[in-house]
Amino acid sequence: MTEPLIFELSSPGRKGVELPECDVPETPLPKDLIRDDLLLPELSEVDVVRHFTRLSQLNYGIDISAYPLGSCTMKYNPKVNEDAARLPGFAYTHPLQGPEEAQGNLLLMFELQEWLKEIGGFAGVSLQPAAGAHGELAGIMMIHAYHHDRKDDRRIKILIPDSAHGTNPASTAMGGFQSVEIPSDDRGNIDLEALRRECDGTVAGLMLTNPNTLGLFDEHVREIIELVHGCGGLMYGDGANMNALLGVVRPGDLGFDILHYNLHKTFSTPHGGGGPGSGPVGVSERLKDFLPGPIVEAVDEGDENRPPKFDLIFPRKSIGRVKAFHGHFGVMVKAYTYLRMIGKDGLRAVADHAVLNANYLRVRIRDAYRVPYDRICMHEFVAEGAWEDAPGIRALDVAKRLMDYGYHPPTNYFPLIVHEALMIEPTETESKESLDAFADAMIKIAGEAHTDPDVLHGAPHITAFGRMDEVRAAKQLVLRYVPKEKNQI
Ligand SMILES: *Cc1c(COP(=O)(O)O)cnc(C)c1O
């Protein structure tokens, strides 16, 4: 970047604010509270506005253009969610205020629990976990607690299909279980024969992402659940892909015992950049007592003259807290607002349009890109970003070139079972025009891969930085400004 940074623009005496005249007697600060070694930049208002506006433009978000990042459900986040989360009664509650002073907040949490129970078909919900992966860990801990409670401690294995999200085996390992990989068959379902071979008395459970990371609904989900229950295991559902199922299928009705929701995916709260998210867990009747607490309970239903009364309680055999205080309350307010806004019919429409949009894109680009599991998909699909007659071009090149066309790249190199994978999830909030524009860009890039491969190898061409060492960029973050010369500040 050539623009000077904010410290380099600093000029002694320059300022951006005029403080009002002091209308109280001046009192000197105690000496030990005064620091004169804080080197703060001195700038005018316009310098500061330009600095932060420029920084904001280096970023990419759903408010700029389509964000087809597979498995992440980057739908548009309605701004009314933000308004609701900033209502002073919500925003200024202190986490240490007791239930009697936070009845409104507890009502909101209670209703959200109830709606998530209804949406997923579950007997209980806890809003504690901070994200999807955290919900998985809570689920694994419940699986452990359930078997232990029955003095069934031989169960050491969690079965995980090879099309699962990477967090599944990670949560399994953190919970002290051994993960056993189950292969997929050639339609992208779990290989039932392989599953049958692993089902025995050492199975604690199976973690199933359905629709899976190929965007496919497992055609044998009932048999899978029967097999796992048949050998005494529990069924964990990774609910990050609930966008495809809302109002259509309830995992609890299928026989899942646990499912985590990603409020920051399915229920339209912003995500990326490390959070905050929210990953509530829903459970079937036999796991209700093990839910992480506290959860909100209506201790008095109320009537016309009396408002209902809520309290925070721990289920009888709770695995305990998994998060400080009550979880990420601001995220809950946003998800609650979204649900209130779209209602029951709106939820069903979300799933219908998410699935329609993904299938529309799949069919529009499948002559230009190989789609290895080319059957009706759910909310996303996986294409291959490589061609035999375009040697040297990889999925990464396609992804980077999409940035030049103004799009965030799709998820790539995941799931691992597809060679040079590009995982595309348009979500329901893109219009037909926007889907067509994206498909046109994809098709153009497939053409360039054959006619002008160097333009792909060099991409992106329009960003402040070109290709980065992505591992180093993620692992060695440089977050502090270091002046080039000492006297620059
Ligand atoms: C996003 C995702 C997760 C993890 O959720 P986080 O909120 O990012 O921790 C787990 N499984 C699937 C399928 C996902 O897409």
Side-chain angles (χ1 to χ4, degrees), residues 230-280:
C231 70
L234 294 171
M235 273 304 293
Y236 184 95
D238 179 327
N241 294 341
M242 272 304 283
N243 216 40
L245 305 185
L246 296 171
V248 185
V249 177
R250 304 198 315 163
D253 296 343
L254 289 174
F256 281 91
D257 297 290
I258 313 175
L259 180 112
H260 79 256
Y261 301 86
N262 294 58
L263 297 191
H264 47 291
K265 293 180 181 171
T266 316
F267 301 102
S268 107
T269 79
H271 59 300
S278 179

Side-chain angles (χ1 to χ4, degrees), residues 67-88:
Y67 205 136
L69 195 61
S71 208
C72 292
T73 311
M74 302 300 287
K75 61 173 74 177
Y76 173 68
N77 306 132
K79 298 298 168 266
V80 66
N81 297 352
E82 303 298 321
D83 283 350
R86 279 164 183 69
L87 288 172

Side-chain angles (χ1 to χ4, degrees), residues 25-60:
E26 275 188 34
T27 314
L29 276 175
K31 275 236 160 38
D32 58 344
L33 283 185
I34 300 178
R35 286 183 63 181
D36 56 8
D37 59 338
L38 290 176
L39 302 171
L40 298 173
E42 297 178 69
L43 297 146
S44 69
E45 180 172 318
V46 68
D47 290 335
V48 175
V49 168
R50 285 181 184 162
H51 172 74
F52 285 108
T53 304
R54 194 171 66 234
L55 284 185
S56 77
Q57 289 170 345
L58 292 176
N59 210 346
Y60 187 94

Side-chain angles (χ1 to χ4, degrees), residues 296-333:
V296 183
E297 210 170 70
V299 286
D300 179 350
E301 301 276 317
D303 56 34
E304 307 96 78
N305 308 316
R306 255 170 340 114
K309 194 159 178 282
F310 300 96
D311 204 356
L312 292 162
I313 61 113
F314 278 85
R316 218 157 47 86
K317 298 174 181 176
S318 174
I319 58 165
R321 269 185 188 283
V322 295
K323 187 82 185 84
F325 301 110
H326 317 309
H328 287 160
F329 181 70
V331 180
M332 296 170 203
V333 177

Side-chain angles (χ1 to χ4, degrees), residues 14 25 79 99 104 130 158 168 174 188 255 263 308 319 321 345 359 368 392 403 406 410 427 471 481 483:
R14 197 169 279 171
K79 298 298 168 266
I158 299 277
N168 293 185
M174 278 188 80
L263 297 191
I319 58 165
R321 269 185 188 283
D345 296 341
N359 279 288
M403 295 165 79
T427 83
V471 176
Y481 174 73

